Amino acid sequence: KPALRSASVLGVATRGASASRERNRTRGALIVAQVALALVLLVGAGLMIRTFLALTAVDPGFRDPESVQIARIWFPPALLADAERYTRLYREVAERIAALPGVEAAGFGGGVPGGGGTGPSFPGVPLLVEDRPEPGGSVLVSPGGASPGWFAALGTRFVAGRDLAWADVDQGRPVTLVSENLARELWGEPQAALGKRIRSDASGPWREIVGVTQDVYYSLYQPAQRGMHPPIAPGPVRNGLLGTTYVIRSERAGTESLANEIRQAVWASNPDLSVYEVRTLQQRYSDSLARTSFMLVLLAIAGVMALFLS
C-alpha cells in the first residue's frame, strides 16, 4: 500500500508538472504574439508619422491657406439659357468680391486644391501637341477653365510667362496655362513651353501656352497631375456645371464679417444665387490631413497599450 500511494503521488506530480509546462508554453506563445502585435502596431505608427511628415512637407501649390477664403456659389438652371448672361454674372460677382475691403485678389474656377480624397472629380484626358504625331499623355483640364485672378488668389507661383487676362476671355483668344511638370516632361524646361500649342479635344482649337504655373496638388495623397488651365468658357460649355467656386485672398479670411460681405456681394448681383461652404483653404487643407493624423493617433495608442499588456 505505501508503494501504491507513492506511485499515485508520483503520477499526480508528473501530470501536474506536464500541465505546468504546457501552461508555460501557452503563456510564452501568447506573450510572443502580443509583443509581435505591439511591434507591428508601433512600426505602423512610425510609418504613419513618416507619411504625415512627408505630406506636411509637400509644397501644395498655394501659399498662406489661412488667408484664402473659399465660397461655393450655386446658379439657377434658368441662367443656362443665356450663355452671355451666365458668364457676365460670374465676372460681375468676382469684381464685386474683389472690391471688398482687404481683398487682394479674387477669382473663380473648378477643382480647389489641397483636398483629402483620391483627386478631383474630373479625370485626365488625352493631350495633343502640335507637330507631334503621338499624344502627349494625359492631362488634367480644369472644368470650365480658370478666371484671371484664380492663381493669384491661391498664391500659386508662375514659373514662366504670364497669368490669364480678361482680354483673353473677352476676345476669345485660344490660350492656356500649363503646369510645370507638364512643361518639363514635354519641352525640358518651363520657358521652352511658351508659345507651343496644345489641345485636349481633337475637334477643339489649338491653344497657345502663355504661362507655366508651379505644380498644384489637388489631392495631397496623390502626385501632382499634369495640368492644363484654359480661360473660363461661357455658360453651358462649363460641362453643365450649375455653380462654381470663388477663392478670395484677404487677411480677413475666416472672419464672419468677410463671409457676410461675400454673401451680400453675391446677392447684389442676383438675389437668387445660393452661397454655401464658406470656409478657408486652411480648413480644407487641415481636413485633408485629419484622416492621417487620426489613424496615426489610433495606431500609436493601440501599439503602446498592446506593449504594456504584454
Side-chain angles (χ1 to χ4, degrees), residues 47-291:
L47 293 176
M48 288 294 289
I49 290 174
R50 188 173 68 175
T51 300
F52 185 79
L53 293 176
L55 288 175
T56 56
V58 168
D59 184 348
F62 51 83
R63 62 177 176 83
D64 304 327
E66 69 280 357
S67 297
V68 180
Q69 186 80 52
I70 301 172
R72 298 186 186 277
I73 300 178
W74 182 85
F75 287 73
L79 292 178
L80 291 173
D82 187 345
E84 291 185 4
R85 181 187 175 196
Y86 192 80
T87 307
R88 186 168 60 250
L89 186 55
Y90 270 114
R91 182 172 178 177
E92 181 181 328
V93 169
E95 290 173 346
R96 287 182 182 274
I97 293 176
L100 294 176
V103 173
E104 300 176 22
F108 57 90
V112 180
T118 56
S121 58
F122 38 100
V125 296
L127 176 69
L128 303 177
V129 183
E130 190 178 37
D131 298 330
R132 293 193 182 187
E134 297 296 327
S138 64
V139 64
L140 186 70
V141 182
S142 299
S147 81
W150 170 264
F151 289 105
L154 288 174
T156 302
R157 290 184 294 103
F158 273 80
V159 183
R162 64 171 177 87
D163 193 359
L164 299 172
W166 281 113
D168 298 325
V169 179
D170 296 337
Q171 299 174 22
R173 295 172 183 168
V175 297
T176 187
L177 306 176
V178 297
S179 61
E180 181 179 2
N181 53 5
L182 186 149
R184 290 191 182 279
E185 288 180 25
L186 294 182
W187 295 285
E189 60 179 19
Q191 195 68 33
L194 300 179
K196 300 296 191 299
R197 299 208 303 172
I198 59 176
R199 62 184 178 185
S200 59
D201 183 354
S203 61
W206 289 105
R207 294 187 175 275
E208 179 185 351
I209 298 173
V210 296
V212 180
T213 71
Q214 70 176 115
D215 299 334
V216 177
Y217 285 76
Y218 288 93
S219 169
L220 298 178
Y221 297 90
Q222 286 188 341
Q225 292 180 267
R226 305 191 311 169
M228 176 179 175
H229 311 286
I232 58 168
V237 183
R238 293 181 58 82
N239 298 338
L241 297 177
L242 296 180
T244 192
T245 302
Y246 285 79
V247 288
I248 304 103
R249 175 164 293 277
S250 172
E251 293 182 354
R252 299 170 58 208
T255 63
E256 190 60 30
S257 61
L258 179 61
N260 289 332
E261 289 176 19
I262 290 173
R263 294 186 182 96
Q264 294 301 323
V266 173
W267 294 332
S269 296
N270 190 318
D272 295 328
L273 302 182
S274 298
V275 185
Y276 63 101
E277 202 173 334
V278 181
R279 58 175 181 165
T280 65
L281 186 56
Q282 179 62 55
Q283 291 171 320
R284 174 181 169 84
Y285 183 62
S286 298
D287 288 347
S288 68
L289 294 175
R291 180 179 64 181

Side-chain angles (χ1 to χ4, degrees), residues 4-29:
L4 290 175
R5 283 197 298 271
S6 299
S8 176
V9 170
L10 182 60
V12 171
T14 302
R15 286 194 299 273
S18 298
S20 179
R21 286 194 297 271
E22 188 66 27
R23 284 196 298 271
N24 288 336
R25 282 197 295 270
T26 302
R27 186 182 301 114

